[in-house]
């Protein structure tokens, strides 16, 4: 028919090994590397030529739900039951319960307009300061406990408001609410 276009898909032999993997997320960083987070096969990075696993003695997570990059170029990995990893291009740093994370099963993550990293889990939100100096927490026993957020169901609008999809409701958080409730880590 006139005016129609045929769509063609090309296979890339470099990424063929991902065919058998369940991919939770795909993220392209500032250097045009494409990162893949999988269910059970860890994380991979494709540099335009070859696909490489990022598994190492520093990064042992097998399930990666989401991948982001901060303003300094660090790559962040949200993992199942292994907390959070930061990759600075050479080494991985893990954030878990010992570092102040209140739940290692994070369902979603996003950077707010200030550059702080919001980590959503079933009982609230942990916030890692952009200066990497520690965690603060958004908790509300009446609203946030047991909210069961949906996996990777998070976004931010142009005003910096963050929307989180949960089993029960859509949670909207304003930037003012994030910056006005610091909760110090208790020892």
């Amino acid at each position: 028919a006139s005016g129609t276009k045929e769509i063609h898909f090309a296979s890339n032999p470099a990424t063929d090994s991902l065919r058998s993997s369940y991919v939770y997320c795909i993220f392209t960083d500032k250097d045009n590397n494409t990162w893949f987070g999988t269910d059970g096969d860890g994380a991979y990075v494709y540099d335009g030529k070859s696909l490489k696993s990022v598994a190492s003695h520093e990064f042992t997570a097998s399930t990666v739900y989401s991948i982001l990059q901060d303003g300094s170029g660090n790559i962040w990995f949200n993992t199942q039951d292994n907390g959070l990893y930061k990759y600075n291009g050479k080494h991985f740093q893990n954030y878990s319960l010992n570092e102040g994370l209140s739940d290692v099963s994070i369902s979603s993550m996003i950077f707010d307009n200030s550059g702080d990293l919001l980590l959503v889990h079933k009982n609230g939100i942990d916030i890692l300061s952009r200066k990497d100096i520690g965690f603060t927490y958004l908790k509300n026993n009446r609203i946030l406990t047991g909210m069961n957020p949906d996996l990777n169901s998070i976004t931010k609008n142009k005003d910096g408001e963050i929307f989180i999809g949960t089993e029960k409701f859509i949670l909207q958080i304003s930037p003012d609410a994030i910056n006005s409730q610091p909760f110090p880590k208790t020892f």
Side-chain angles (χ1 to χ4, degrees):
S2 177
T4 61
K5 293 183 181 180
E6 192 173 316
I7 298 174
H8 297 278
F9 295 92
S11 176
N12 185 341
T15 58
D16 276 350
S17 62
L18 286 175
R19 284 185 189 202
S20 61
S21 298
Y22 184 90
V23 176
Y24 276 116
C25 66
I26 301 171
F27 175 77
T28 302
D29 67 20
K30 295 172 187 173
D31 295 326
N32 213 28
N33 296 307
T34 302
W35 300 82
F36 300 89
T38 72
D39 183 7
D41 292 325
Y44 292 84
V45 62
Y46 176 65
D47 63 4
K49 296 176 184 169
S50 64
L51 182 73
K52 296 176 186 159
S53 171
V54 299
S56 72
H57 70 281
E58 293 179 328
F59 185 88
T60 58
S62 61
T63 299
V64 177
Y65 289 143
S66 55
I67 302 170
L68 296 174
Q69 186 173 33
D70 64 23
S72 299
N74 298 305
I75 304 293
W76 294 83
F77 301 85
N78 166 19
T79 68
Q80 178 188 35
D81 298 328
N82 292 92
L84 181 68
Y85 283 89
K86 177 176 82 170
Y87 179 60
N88 67 6
K90 294 183 180 181
H91 299 286
F92 288 92
Q93 180 178 354
N94 181 244
Y95 296 83
S96 193
L97 299 177
N98 289 338
E99 289 74 30
L101 196 61
S102 66
D103 194 315
V104 293
S105 294
I106 301 162
S107 63
S108 300
M109 66 179 181
I110 195 167
F111 285 102
D112 68 9
N113 283 355
S114 299
D116 295 337
L117 183 59
L118 277 70
L119 306 160
V120 182
H121 51 81
K122 66 184 175 191
N123 292 311
I125 300 168
D126 293 3
I127 304 169
L128 180 60
S129 163
R130 69 184 170 279
K131 296 177 181 157
D132 206 7
I133 57 173
F135 290 93
T136 56
Y137 311 94
L138 289 180
K139 300 214 181 254
N140 182 309
N141 290 340
R142 190 173 55 83
I143 297 172
L144 298 181
T145 300
M147 67 178 175
N148 295 326
D150 294 324
L151 192 61
N152 289 331
S153 180
I154 193 166
T155 192
K156 178 176 60 174
N157 69 15
K158 63 181 176 65
D159 295 326
E161 296 172 315
I162 294 173
F163 296 84
I164 302 165
T166 75
E167 186 177 274
K168 301 175 184 178
F169 50 82
I170 295 176
L171 179 64
Q172 178 181 354
I173 303 173
S174 73
D176 294 335
I178 295 167
N179 298 322
S180 68
Q181 293 191 10
F183 290 95
K185 184 176 175 183
T186 304
F187 292 91

